[in-house]
Amino acid sequence: FIMLCLLSRDNDQRGLVDEQLILRVGMTLAHFKGQDRLLVPNNLRYIYDYYLLENLALGLVREDPSHLSKYKPLAAYSWNRPSPFEWRFYIRKNLKWSDGSQITLPQVVQNLQRLRSESSLHIKLLNNLTSIESDTINHSILLRFSIPVGEEVLSELSTAEASLLHPINLQDDWQVTSGPYYVKEVNT
């Protein structure tokens, strides 16, 4: 079993509370058989891996369930396409990790650089990034691509693999996350 703790949110800010809702998620032992990690973010082989990561971490955008060709803001509150080769994302200023520390623009850039350099089942367009620039005045990120990129990049950025990961998540430690849950313990 995996014990997930739900964090409360107050006006888009993560607030840690004394009483946390604890959920237990049962996963088959076959899932862990031969796999020494809970999640490998760039290799989500099973649907439950995907949905678990989707709940542990948030991305810049997410698909709008009522309009599948539209996207809703998450870490980015708005975005635009200055040119066929560029996308700019305006990042919320009060984003916090589950431990209460600030999610910074350099951490967002670092996550996007990770996506550019890793191979993944659902990440293809981000491999064409030529540069990622942060603007601290406008609290935004500018993505420059080597090829023209349309709204399909939003679809890619809405996937679980494109979520904001804390550096410890890459070591398979999920006690600090960007999403509504964190992993308190794993019993296999």
Side-chain angles (χ1 to χ4, degrees), residues 37-45 49-50 53 57 111 114-115 118-123 159-163 165-166 169-172 174:
R37 297 182 67 179
L38 175 62
L39 283 172
V40 181
N42 65 333
N43 187 19
L44 301 174
R45 295 183 299 176
D49 287 338
Y50 187 91
L53 182 57
N111 268 278
R114 174 186 55 81
L115 294 172
E118 290 182 348
S119 70
S120 170
L121 295 173
H122 299 105
I123 304 294
T159 64
E161 292 97 328
S163 298
L165 300 181
H166 192 277
N169 300 154
L170 300 175
Q171 312 310 312
D172 205 33
W174 297 93

Side-chain angles (χ1 to χ4, degrees), residues 149-162:
V149 176
E151 288 197 1
E152 62 272 15
V153 76
L154 298 175
S155 175
E156 204 164 280
L157 288 169
S158 73
T159 64
E161 292 97 328

Side-chain angles (χ1 to χ4, degrees), residues 27-127:
M27 300 180 80
T28 65
L29 289 175
H31 168 71
F32 292 104
K33 195 174 193 179
Q35 185 173 319
D36 57 350
R37 297 182 67 179
L38 175 62
L39 283 172
V40 181
N42 65 333
N43 187 19
L44 301 174
R45 295 183 299 176
Y46 306 103
I47 194 72
Y48 41 83
D49 287 338
Y50 187 91
Y51 289 126
L52 179 59
L53 182 57
E54 197 172 58
N55 282 286
L56 292 174
L58 64 91
L60 296 178
V61 299
R62 71 177 175 117
E63 286 183 338
D64 183 342
S66 60
H67 301 93
L68 293 180
S69 62
K70 304 274 185 202
Y71 298 88
K72 292 184 135 199
L74 281 179
Y77 64 87
S78 74
W79 51 89
N80 61 44
R81 187 177 179 213
S83 81
F85 296 89
E86 297 176 327
W87 279 87
R88 181 175 299 280
F89 293 86
Y90 296 89
I91 309 301
R92 295 179 194 277
K93 292 184 180 178
N94 294 321
L95 289 174
K96 297 192 188 292
W97 298 107
S98 61
D99 66 357
S101 63
Q102 189 77 29
I103 296 176
T104 65
L105 275 179
Q107 289 171 322
V108 176
V109 169
Q110 183 180 29
N111 268 278
L112 291 166
Q113 288 171 336
R114 174 186 55 81
L115 294 172
R116 175 173 67 176
S117 63
E118 290 182 348
S119 70
S120 170
L121 295 173
H122 299 105
I123 304 294
K124 304 296 179 215
L125 290 173
L126 294 174
N127 297 135

